[in-house]
Amino acid sequence: EYLLHLSRDRHAAPRTLNQVVAALRFLYETTLERPWLVAQIPYARQDDPLPNVLSREEVTQLLAAVRRPKYRAILMLAYATGLRVSEITHLQLDDVDEGRMMIWVRSGKGQRDRFVMLSPVLLEELRAYREAEQPPGPWLFPGYPADRPITRQSVGKVCRLVREDAGLGKPATLRLMRHTFATHLYDGGTDIRTIQALLGHRSL
């Protein structure tokens, strides 16, 4: 009855309904040890829309609207490496290996380490940021206080402001930059298995 209420009266999204189903399953199966009460409750079907992707011109337009070197470096990192927002916010200064032109991603999704490429253009952007703002470490992008990494919420707020300044009609998020990274690689002829490895995906 509660799920029907959420669906019919509150018009809850499938993702929200599935979170409630998972909570109910845990409650009845694990806590109350009465699994038969939820055995027949199905998960809601979720739509699988294609993600938005920026053109190369729109990427240039977006980056040109960023005033502060720190936030420009964050957005460029997302586009040039395809890293997730949590992976970017938890990068440390020592993770940027200029000698090997690689970036070490520690404990990414699934607690797996991996390396992604460091392009010369991105390296120059990171150097300009470090020279301008002198992050004290260990975090590449410190938050407040400086001994903690920047938060996802702060990055999201910056992305919204940059989108307004750039006049883009599409949402500007690090997830969008990640999708754009993968799509531009694919359009340029990069092997799909290579893209999978760079994104840190288990499944093709």
Side-chain angles (χ1 to χ4, degrees):
E1 289 177 351
Y2 178 56
L3 287 169
L4 287 173
H5 162 69
L6 290 177
S7 178
R8 293 174 179 173
D9 303 332
R10 302 289 295 275
H11 306 290
R15 185 184 300 271
T16 301
L17 292 174
N18 287 337
Q19 289 176 341
V20 175
V21 170
L24 289 172
R25 285 182 180 274
F26 182 84
L27 172 65
Y28 283 97
E29 293 175 359
T30 304
T31 307
L32 301 178
E33 297 183 349
R34 300 164 72 183
W36 59 88
L37 291 175
V38 291
Q40 300 301 317
I41 296 180
Y43 283 97
R45 290 187 59 183
Q46 296 192 54
D47 294 332
D48 191 19
L50 291 173
N52 279 318
V53 173
L54 298 177
S55 67
R56 287 175 172 79
E57 293 74 19
E58 287 172 326
V59 171
T60 301
Q61 179 182 348
L62 184 68
L63 293 175
V66 187
R67 299 185 181 91
R68 187 172 170 185
K70 178 178 182 178
Y71 301 132
R72 180 181 170 86
I74 288 174
L75 284 169
M76 189 172 285
L77 246 172
Y79 175 65
T81 63
L83 293 182
R84 300 176 177 90
V85 60
S86 60
E87 294 169 341
I88 290 177
T89 57
H90 286 83
L91 284 175
Q92 299 185 23
L93 289 169
D94 293 341
D95 294 339
V96 180
D97 189 339
E98 297 187 10
R100 297 175 60 204
M101 295 299 287
M102 306 282 279
I103 297 176
W104 179 19
V105 183
R106 310 177 192 226
S107 300
K109 191 172 183 179
Q111 296 302 305
R112 291 181 299 160
D113 290 4
R114 73 181 191 280
F115 286 96
V116 294
M117 67 280 199
L118 173 62
S119 72
V121 175
L122 176 57
L123 176 58
E124 288 305 311
E125 191 68 37
L126 290 175
R127 284 175 172 171
Y129 151 63
R130 288 190 301 234
E131 182 178 349
E133 304 207 16
Q134 300 290 318
W139 306 108
L140 179 58
F141 301 110
Y144 299 99
D147 61 348
R148 296 181 182 177
I150 190 172
T151 65
R152 297 168 61 104
Q153 291 76 16
S154 295
V155 173
K157 181 178 179 180
V158 168
C159 288
R160 289 191 294 272
L161 293 175
V162 169
R163 172 183 175 272
E164 294 175 3
D165 290 343
L168 283 181
K170 299 175 181 177
T173 64
L174 292 199
R175 185 175 180 81
L176 174 63
M177 301 300 277
R178 175 175 161 85
H179 289 156
T180 301
F181 160 82
T183 302
H184 288 182
L185 282 181
Y186 185 75
D187 290 346
T190 302
D191 178 76
I192 191 70
R193 291 287 185 184
T194 301
I195 298 174
Q196 175 190 353
L198 291 172
L199 291 175
H201 281 170
R202 288 183 181 273
S203 169
L204 183 61

